[in-house]
Amino acid sequence: MVSKLDNAFAFQQQALGLRTHRMQILAGNIANADTPNFKARDFDFSSALKEAVAGRSAGNLAMATTTARHLTGSLDDGPAHLMYRTPSQGSVDGNTVDMDIERAQFSENAIQLEAGVRFITGKFKTLMTAIQGQ
């Protein structure tokens, strides 16, 4: 029974995890808007979600070792492959953060995150009603 519930919520769990990660990336871009040579980053949410649902993740790339005594490590940039945002207009200090774009992306992501949370909350309420029979 628990595995059926886990399977029912797996997609939403992946989506909310990616939305949360994207929120952190966008907040970092906004926080570094005045940092010289900072390069704004983001990722393609839809392709990252497709890969996460399929079981493929961009993170945890294993390092090659030549002997069994080497320590294992990973190159982890999170659950999605981060890309640099293409600047619409260059700046003198090399910073590529465009606050209008970042605010719009942040707001859109926040709305999508809230919608996902409300969807899961509604599903849980439906399940609780079914269990309690009220």
Side-chain angles (χ1 to χ4, degrees):
M1 182 65 176
V2 174
S3 65
K4 289 182 182 179
L5 287 175
D6 190 38
N7 290 339
F9 290 107
F11 178 80
Q12 288 298 322
Q13 177 186 0
Q14 294 290 337
L16 289 178
L18 285 171
R19 288 275 176 215
T20 303
H21 181 66
R22 187 163 188 236
M23 191 69 75
Q24 292 172 346
I25 300 300
L26 295 172
N29 289 346
I30 292 170
N32 286 294
D34 294 328
T35 304
N37 295 317
F38 181 81
K39 308 300 181 208
R41 300 192 76 180
D42 200 358
F43 63 89
D44 181 20
F45 180 80
S46 61
S47 65
L49 183 59
K50 285 178 189 174
E51 289 194 11
V53 169
R56 299 182 302 262
S57 178
N60 297 330
L61 179 64
M63 295 179 72
T65 58
T66 56
T67 180
R69 293 178 25 199
H70 286 167
L71 296 175
T72 58
S74 66
L75 176 62
D76 189 13
D77 63 352
H81 176 68
L82 294 177
M83 298 177 287
Y84 292 103
R85 195 181 298 280
T86 304
S88 57
Q89 181 177 356
S91 65
V92 177
D93 65 355
N95 188 308
T96 62
V97 175
D98 183 347
M99 285 301 291
D100 293 332
I101 291 173
E102 299 301 327
R103 283 189 199 113
Q105 294 293 323
F106 189 87
S107 297
E108 179 185 345
N109 194 61
I111 291 168
Q112 294 290 339
L113 181 63
E114 177 67 23
V117 169
R118 286 180 186 241
F119 180 78
I120 286 184
T121 302
K123 278 214 169 223
F124 277 120
K125 285 181 181 178
T126 302
L127 286 172
M128 289 301 294
T129 302
I131 291 169
Q132 294 172 349
Q134 296 179 358

